[in-house]
Amino acid sequence: MAYAEDALSAEVESAAIRRRDRKPELVSLEKEAVIGENKSGLVEIRDSARANSSVEKLVGDENSDRMIIYQSVAKKNQVTLAEIQKMYAKRLIEDAPAGAPVETSNGWKIK
């Protein structure tokens, strides 16, 4: 199966670069349990009391870029978007830092 790194379109490459640039901030918020990784391969706010408008924007921007990548990979591999999201979610949950909320088939837990 092809991944986003294979023959990137300009749009996908830009999304990947933006994701890389915001990763340190996302990891910090995950460690603090403000945001978490859901089973659809997207970031979700888990502590709304500590999530201000800049966190909401960060989550929205990250999820938009992830969807650009997921849609491209799904199209390239002729599979459903849901299959790609599930594949990426597995990896993102495995790679989430200690203390991060992650969604499993049994609900949310702290990694």
Side-chain angles (χ1 to χ4, degrees), residues 36-82:
E37 295 288 345
N38 72 25
K39 62 185 180 181
S40 296
L42 300 173
V43 180
E44 194 170 309
I45 293 173
R46 299 303 302 158
D47 185 348
S48 57
R50 296 191 300 156
N52 59 27
S53 60
S54 67
V55 172
E56 291 172 0
K57 181 178 182 340
L58 181 77
V59 168
D61 290 348
E62 177 67 10
N63 287 337
S64 291
D65 284 340
R66 287 185 184 190
M67 291 304 294
I68 289 168
I69 293 167
Y70 298 167
Q71 289 167 347
S72 175
V73 174
K75 182 177 179 182
K76 184 172 189 157
N77 289 285
Q78 299 178 343
V79 298
T80 67
L81 179 59

Side-chain angles (χ1 to χ4, degrees), residues 90-107:
K90 184 177 186 286
R91 190 185 83 206
L92 290 163
I93 288 169
E94 288 171 359
D95 293 346
V102 293
E103 187 178 23
T104 68
S105 58
N106 297 320

Side-chain angles (χ1 to χ4, degrees), residues 16-54:
I17 290 167
R18 288 189 301 268
R19 287 195 63 220
R20 181 196 66 207
D21 291 347
R22 74 172 72 89
K23 185 172 181 167
E25 190 172 2
L26 289 169
V27 169
S28 176
L29 289 166
E30 285 181 336
K31 286 179 180 178
E32 296 171 13
V34 175
I35 63 172
E37 295 288 345
N38 72 25
K39 62 185 180 181
S40 296
L42 300 173
V43 180
E44 194 170 309
I45 293 173
R46 299 303 302 158
D47 185 348
S48 57
R50 296 191 300 156
N52 59 27
S53 60
S54 67

